[in-house]
Each structure stands twice: as C-alpha cells, then as structure tokens.
Amino acid sequence: MPPLKILFVSPEVDPFVKVGGLADMVGSLPKVLADRGHDVRVVCPAYGSIKIDETFSPREEPLGVDVGAAAHWGKTWQTHLPDSKVPLYCLEHGQFFDRPEVYAGPWGDHPDNDLRFTFLCRGALTLCQQLGWIPDVVHCHDWTTGFIPLLLNTTLRDSPIGRAATVMTIHNLEHQGYCDRRALDFAHVPAAEFRADSTESHGKVNMMKAGLYHSTKITTVSPTYSEEIKRPDGGFGLDHVLRFRAADLVGIVNGIDTEVWNPATDQTIPYTYTAENFGGKTTCKAALQKELGISIDPHVALFGVVSRFATQKGLDLLAHCLPSVLEGMHVQFAVLGSGDGALEAMFRDAAARYPSKLGLYVGFNAKLAKLIQAGSDFFVMPSRTEPCGLTQLYAMRYGTPPIVRATGGLIDTVDQYAPGTGEGTGFKFEDATALALANTIGWACSTYYDQSEEYTRLRRNGMAKDFSWGASANEYLDVYRWAIAARKGE
Ligand code: ADP
Ligand code: GLC
C-alpha cells in the first residue's frame, strides 16, 4: 500500500495545548501513523498559551487567509510533535488566537469562536497550498474543524486541494458550534448552504453539522458511542444526520501513547512499578497522600478522580454521595479537576469538612494527574455520556481499577469484575444516580478489603490489556483509504 499524505487539523494538541482527551489523540495517533511510513502533518492555532521558543521556526511567507471582507493575515510557526518527525504548524493570528484559552474565557465561550475557527479551517488549507503539499485526506476533529469538509465541497472544490478527502472524527457530539449566519459569509461559503441538509440547525449555523454532512467519512471514538449518537436520546439533536450518514460512520476506540503512559518507565511519578511488583505503586500512594495533605495510610482504599468538571462527567453524582461515603466507609479521595463553579464549590466544601479524607486540587495539573493514576487504588468516572474516555485507560494501565458508569466508550473498554473468578478490569454501574455510584464504591471497597487476591488480579488484568494505538491506527488507515476512494468516485 502506498504511503498516504494525512493532514490533522485540530483545536488541541498535547503537549502544546490541552483541554481534554482530544489533545491526547491528536498528539499521539499522528506519530504512530508516521512510524508506519505515512506523511502526517498537524495544524493547530498558536494560542497565547503556547510558548513559542527556539524549538519553533517561523515560515518566511506570511499566511494570507481568504476569509472576511479583506484577507486576514497570519503567520506560521513550525515545530515537531515531541520525539517524532511529525511537523506541527501553529497558526498565529493576533486578534483570534492571542489569548490563553481555547474555547472559553472567564465569561463563557468566546463570542468570536465562529470566526476564529473558520480562520483555522481555511488557514490550514491555505497553508497546504502554500507548502505545495496537497494531502490525500484531511482528518478533522470536532466542530471547530467542521467547515473544512464544507469548504472542500463548495468554495474550494475546484482548487488543487479540492480533491482531498475528509474524515471527521466526533470526539464529543455535545459541543456543536452554533453560530450566526455571518460565519458562512466570513468563510466565503455560498449562502445556499444555509439549509437543513448542510449547515443550518434551528435557524442558526451549526459547524458540527456542516462537518457531518460534508465529510467524506465520519468516525467517532468508540463503537458503542457510534450507536448511541444515532438514537434520539443520544444524538444531541443530530441523531437524524448520523442515521442519514450511518453507512459512512465507524466507531474506533482511542488508543493511548503507551510510552508516555508507562508505570515501569514514567519519570514524572516518584516511583516506577510493574504488574509483578507493586512496591513502587504503594510508595506513589504515600506520595499522593502527602501531596494532597490527607492522612498517610497504606491500608485505606484511595479513590482517584481526574476530570473536567462538567455535567457530562457525572461528578455531581459523586459530590452528592461523598458525605455518606466518607462517613460510612473507610475510604479516601484524591480529586483533580476544574470547570463548573458549582461543582468546584461542592468539592471545596467536602474537602474542608473531611480534610484527612478528601484531597482536592482545583486546576489543571498534568503531573498530579499522573500521580493520581499511579497512587490511587481505584479511579472514579461516573460519566453521563462518554464518547471514549482516556482516563479509565490510563488508570488500568497504572494498575488502578476504574469504577465507571456503563456508557459509550466506558462500556467498550472496561470489563466488569466477575466476583469469584477474579476476571474483569473494573466496576460498571448502569443508573446515573448518586445511589448507584455509592453502591459501586461500596462493592469496590469490599473487594479491596475482603478479596485482596481478586483485587490484585483486577489490577493485573488491566495492566495486561493492550491499549496502544496498534489496532485502532490500522482502522484509521482503512477509513482514510475508504474516504480517498470515495472522493475519487471509485
Ligand atoms: P475528556 O476529553 O472528555 O475530558 P478524556 O478521558 O478523554 O476526557 O481525557 C481527559 C484528558 O485530560 C486526560 O489526559 C486527563 O488526564 C486530562 N485531564 C483532565 N482534567 C485534568 C486536570 N484537571 N489536570 C490535568 N489533566 C487533566
Ligand atoms: C472527548 C470525549 C472523550 C474522548 C476524547 C478523545 O473529549 O469527551 O470521551 O476520550 O474526546 O477522543
């Protein structure tokens, strides 16, 4: 099979800019594809939070992007994804990207997100033409890149880049990029595209919908989520579009970077360990307890949380059952996250009431995220919806059985513990209620305290699983080839 030219366009790329797991995916899959001989390149915005240092080089030629009334001028900074030859191009634009946040500031979503991300879409395609590098396929990620398939089907169809196929990956259907019609004018897309089977939803422009109608093929990040989003109760209003495009939609479970996330070699945790010897993990637990100021006790069952604080993640369920769990069970919690103000306040209250049992860090802290994965005995993820979820994969890789609600990718990636057999990798519950979660925490506790051999087997089962990109990268290559053939009309 000949190597492919693949362009990733994304609002987030780990480790340069990260809000959630989308960044992890875009920071890792391109490297795996490049290792297999493909020419993969990545484009993202040069947000104010990205430190442009000597590892970046500026492109001489300014980036004139044909959006708005008069062209918008940007600049391109080039670097590489760490430990790889994959080029990363960061697009600078003072007005649109010189601010630290990706999607939202302290007062909510940036009101010019439609313009900012239209610039990203058109800018990425302009850059390819400038480089004389026409990708076979453009891999788009979530609503911010939804105008790429639209542009390639309309305004740019007859240009050299118009032959590129597109694959749109839905990381989270909940966020769709609703905006005013001005976005179409700004993108120079014909006004006729403002219709229900293209970009229009409820009288507004919907950037995700544009991507879903116009991309050559669609993927999402787990098989179960690909089914859920075709149903009215799981499609966030776009289920009809996904049913319409069902023949072009595939669910591919995310892989993880098994080099970055490896407890045997991880230099960011205080002690490394393997499935044969958990000594280092016990020491990580003590380090975590010390770091968060809770009592240092090797015997207590310690439950970790690393999450965006958002309704999607179901952490309100945890906040509601925390007092009864902390008072009724011999447990500790290590919680890292930020987002929803009401949830932050609930966790702060609980941490103040139970200082020796609940350790809390409000904010984003990549190092602490790893220490929680390594030092906890269980990982809690009560998501209402979860397209894939990476933190439960990291937890299993670090020997920390996850407690998850049975939804989306959590169904596909966690195997239910079967008491008496020692089989399984974690604990799944069905109902999105505080009671169901508290019960499952209780189940985990009794396994930890009363069935320690089975608990150890659970840990080992998770660590023995292959969560690397291996198989999923092959599936993406199949989808790229399928899309390229479809675009050529084969
Ligand atoms: P989502 O993308 O929906 O947030 P995922 O489980 O796919 O959920 O990915 C979340 C990613 O973000 C993981 O890499 C996780 O470690 C990281 N993360 C989430 N919250 C924080 C935080 N407060 N500090 C550091 N890393 C975080
Ligand atoms: C989204 C989803 C999460 C998924 C991640 C990476 O943020 O919420 O479930 O793991 O994207 O695909």
Side-chain angles (χ1 to χ4, degrees):
M1 293 275 198
L4 300 178
K5 286 192 241 168
I6 308 161
L7 175 70
F8 277 60
V9 184
S10 173
E12 305 175 35
V13 186
D14 186 63
F16 299 91
V17 51
K18 168 162 162 170
V19 176
L22 189 160
D24 299 42
M25 195 270 213
V26 176
S28 54
L29 176 58
K31 295 203 257 185
V32 177
L33 297 170
D35 284 346
R36 296 184 186 186
H38 301 283
D39 183 355
V40 196
R41 308 185 187 193
V42 183
V43 174
C44 82
Y47 304 103
S49 56
I50 295 184
K51 198 166 161 277
I52 303 286
D53 58 16
E54 64 289 348
T55 59
F56 287 78
S57 53
R59 266 184 65 76
E60 292 271 307
E61 204 179 339
L63 188 69
V65 182
D66 201 6
V67 286
H72 274 254
W73 290 91
K75 180 171 176 174
T76 311
W77 292 93
Q78 185 178 342
T79 185
H80 290 95
L81 295 187
D83 305 318
S84 81
K85 292 206 166 66
V86 176
L88 169 68
Y89 304 96
C90 296
L91 307 190
E92 182 184 288
H93 184 286
Q95 182 193 337
F96 292 148
F97 297 134
D98 190 13
R99 54 187 104 164
E101 315 89 359
V102 177
Y103 309 106
W107 295 279
D109 286 350
H110 294 306
D112 57 350
N113 274 348
D114 53 343
L115 311 185
R116 299 170 74 221
F117 292 112
T118 298
F119 178 85
L120 170 67
C121 293
R122 186 69 199 254
L125 301 175
T126 305
L127 175 65
C128 291
Q129 284 177 308
Q130 220 180 58
L131 294 167
W133 184 81
I134 302 299
D136 299 307
V137 59
V138 185
H139 190 163
C140 306
H141 299 270
D142 272 355
W143 66 269
T144 58
T145 55
F147 273 13
I148 289 179
L150 171 67
L151 282 163
L152 290 175
N153 274 3
T154 56
T155 316
L156 297 175
R157 183 65 176 116
D158 296 326
S159 72
I161 202 163
R163 64 172 183 266
T166 46
V167 171
M168 175 97 199
T169 292
I170 304 168
H171 292 265
N172 194 337
L173 196 57
E174 199 172 331
H175 306 290
Q176 298 180 0
Y178 270 97
C179 54
D180 290 335
R181 284 183 74 161
R182 69 168 185 177
L184 296 182
D185 297 338
F186 189 73
H188 299 182
V189 166
E193 294 304 322
F194 189 69
R195 52 171 209 273
D197 61 351
S198 179
T199 67
E200 187 270 340
S201 277
H202 317 302
K204 304 273 268 183
V205 167
N206 180 323
M207 295 176 85
M208 178 71 106
K209 186 177 189 184
L212 297 180
Y213 263 113
H214 286 275
S215 58
T216 323
K217 300 291 171 192
I218 304 168
T219 70
T220 188
V221 288
S222 70
T224 296
Y225 194 64
S226 76
E227 296 304 322
E228 290 172 349
I229 55 180
K230 283 184 278 194
R231 296 200 297 260
D233 61 347
F236 294 96
L238 291 182
D239 47 292
H240 62 290
V241 181
L242 293 157
R243 286 195 298 278
F244 176 71
R245 297 233 43 202
D248 298 310
L249 166 67
V250 190
I252 304 175
V253 76
N254 282 330
I256 62 171
D257 188 326
T258 47
E259 282 174 26
V260 173
W261 291 89
N262 183 353
T265 56
D266 192 338
Q267 292 307 308
T268 60
I269 55 175
Y271 304 93
T272 55
Y273 56 90
T274 62
E276 287 70 50
N277 183 349
F278 285 117
K281 187 164 172 63
T282 310
T283 328
C284 286
K285 180 171 176 176
L288 173 60
Q289 288 167 326
K290 182 157 181 266
E291 174 89 19
L292 291 181
I294 50 182
S295 9
I296 298 179
D297 175 354
H299 304 297
V300 62
L302 173 52
F303 292 74
V305 173
V306 178
S307 184
R308 291 183 289 114
F309 285 176
T311 318
Q312 178 206 345
K313 299 290 177 182
L315 289 173
D316 50 313
L317 307 178
L318 178 62
H320 279 113
C321 69
L322 260 182
S324 68
V325 168
L326 287 171
E327 280 166 29
M329 301 180 203
H330 184 39
V331 291
Q332 283 184 335
F333 279 80
V335 179
L336 164 64
S338 64
D340 182 271
L343 259 178
E344 287 186 8
M346 284 170 93
F347 281 108
R348 280 189 214 276
D349 280 355
R353 256 174 86 189
Y354 306 98
S356 62
K357 292 184 153 199
L358 174 62
L360 174 67
Y361 182 105
V362 175
F364 194 91
N365 184 331
K367 194 160 183 245
L368 181 58
K370 280 190 150 181
L371 184 59
I372 290 180
Q373 297 286 10
S376 302
D377 299 306
F378 297 98
F379 187 81
V380 185
M381 200 167 176
S383 308
R384 288 199 166 74
T385 60
E386 198 57 77
C388 178
L390 296 176
T391 46
Q392 83 283 8
L393 303 181
Y394 298 144
M396 288 185 274
R397 176 106 174 125
Y398 279 63
T400 308
I403 294 169
V404 302
R405 197 178 89 73
T407 180
L410 300 176
I411 292 182
D412 297 339
T413 58
V414 178
D415 300 328
Q416 183 70 297
Y417 165 48
T421 68
E423 281 172 17
T425 55
F427 301 79
K428 292 194 259 198
F429 63 97
E430 295 283 336
D431 297 341
T433 61
L435 183 63
L437 173 60
N439 267 318
T440 315
I441 292 173
W443 180 20
C445 263
S446 55
T447 311
Y448 178 85
Y449 290 116
D450 306 332
Q451 306 288 338
S452 64
E453 276 178 27
E454 291 203 359
Y455 167 69
T456 305
R457 275 193 64 189
L458 281 187
R459 284 186 151 172
R460 293 200 168 118
N461 295 344
M463 292 179 89
K465 284 241 162 186
D466 179 8
F467 295 122
S468 71
W469 272 108
S472 296
N474 284 340
E475 289 187 59
Y476 273 107
L477 286 168
D478 287 345
V479 173
Y480 296 152
R481 293 196 178 100
W482 185 35
I484 292 162
R487 188 73 173 166
K488 282 189 191 146
E490 286 168 6

